[in-house]
Amino acid sequence: MTHRSLNRRHFIASALAASAAAPFLSPLRSLHAQETRPGAAPRYRLDPLPYPADFLKPAIDRETMEIHHGRHHAGYVRNLNGAVEGLDVPANIEHLIADLKQVPERVRTSVRNNGGGHANHALFWSVMTAANQSGEPSAPLMRAFERHCGSFAKFRENFAAAATGRFGSGWAWLVVREDRSVTCTSTPNQDSPLMGPEFVDVPGIPLLGLDVWEHAYYIHYRNRRADYVSAFFDIINWAEVSRRYEATL
Ligand SMILES: [Fe+2]
């Protein structure tokens, strides 16, 4: 194993360990409890949305949320459980996708797609809230935007460019990199920055993710992805994103 990959493993492990105390990982703690029963199925679980399906209106409508969570996210969880059946894999979904090379090659693509889908959507629900509760980035996160992006306005510009510029299906991200800088990036399909340099262009700890698959916006916005991205900025749960950032410090 190279020094670099050891460093990355240490970075991912320490960031995940640090963030384990944060409320956003409480669903993952319950997954862990579930995993202590050998052979128990299903292994990974779809948690309910953390708010009513119409909570994010008008940025995201009720029908989109119901289909997105109840069918798309549920499908990723179901397919992931099918892929890992009989395998000894981490109970924590973030640990699973951060170490895909440990997954047998015959199911690695399925775990990449469906495990990524599960982790990405779980994060996505948690980093949104009603517009009147969006708040603002904490002082440490704001300083990180200023230091690494130039300004908060520049972060927004970079994130919107990552979201609108991703061709086809994928995600826009704000991540903390191994050098502790924050940056915006995007991934195709259900890839996560947690998957590491073997799988994504900009590996890191995701703080904020925006689903830009058409299933995330087509009912209300049709093909107007830029309008969806613009509305997303009104419903970012900055308390949650800030908590995720501070867990990596
Ligand atoms: Fe999605």
Side-chain angles (χ1 to χ4, degrees):
M1 184 177 294
T2 65
H3 181 66
R4 182 174 169 75
S5 68
L6 269 176
N7 273 347
R8 189 183 81 81
R9 280 169 186 275
H10 176 73
F11 166 64
I12 297 282
S14 60
L16 290 174
S19 59
F24 79 88
L25 277 181
S26 55
L28 300 180
R29 279 199 293 276
S30 65
L31 285 175
H32 190 77
Q34 197 174 30
E35 180 61 11
T36 57
R37 292 180 289 124
R43 189 179 299 245
Y44 299 102
R45 188 180 67 197
L46 178 70
D47 283 319
L49 283 171
Y51 34 66
D54 62 357
F55 197 60
L56 307 176
K57 287 196 313 183
I60 303 180
D61 62 282
R62 173 197 286 271
E63 187 181 8
T64 297
M65 290 298 288
E66 287 175 345
I67 293 173
H68 200 172
H69 176 265
R71 300 194 201 167
H72 292 278
H73 189 175
Y76 296 122
V77 174
R78 187 172 58 249
N79 292 336
L80 174 63
N81 282 325
V84 301
E85 195 171 350
L87 298 177
D88 180 18
V89 289
N92 182 312
I93 183 61
E94 294 190 322
H95 289 190
L96 173 67
I97 64 166
D99 208 3
L100 280 176
K101 288 185 117 178
Q102 299 303 313
V103 174
E105 201 170 347
R106 65 184 169 80
V107 295
R108 193 175 298 152
T109 299
S110 181
V111 171
R112 178 178 184 175
N113 291 334
N114 293 294
H118 179 28
N120 293 346
H121 286 85
L123 183 150
F124 185 48
W125 313 134
S126 78
V127 295
M128 296 188 288
T129 191
N132 64 1
Q133 296 173 30
S134 173
E136 55 187 31
S138 67
L141 180 56
M142 195 61 92
R143 280 195 297 276
F145 285 138
E146 287 161 3
R147 182 174 304 139
H148 304 298
C149 305
S151 66
F152 180 56
K154 188 69 182 164
F155 146 74
R156 287 180 52 126
E157 198 178 302
N158 294 346
F159 190 88
T164 55
R166 165 53 52 188
F167 182 77
S169 299
W171 290 75
W173 301 102
L174 169 68
V175 301
V176 179
R177 291 191 289 196
E178 199 171 344
D179 65 4
R180 300 301 198 266
S181 64
V182 299
T183 193
C184 297
T185 185
S186 72
T187 55
N189 307 315
Q190 293 296 349
D191 284 354
S192 162
L194 282 173
M195 291 174 182
E198 300 90 344
F199 299 93
V200 298
D201 294 337
V202 183
I205 305 293
L207 304 179
L208 175 66
L210 173 59
D211 189 339
V212 295
W213 285 57
E214 284 187 345
H215 69 225
Y217 62 87
Y218 206 85
I219 292 172
H220 182 68
Y221 294 94
R222 299 303 177 192
N223 63 332
R224 301 188 309 277
R225 185 191 290 185
D227 291 350
Y228 161 69
V229 172
S230 177
F232 174 72
F233 284 107
D234 294 336
I235 55 166
I236 294 174
N237 181 347
W238 282 114
E240 185 61 24
V241 178
S242 300
R243 194 155 41 229
R244 291 183 69 93
Y245 173 64
E246 287 163 39
T248 70
L249 296 177

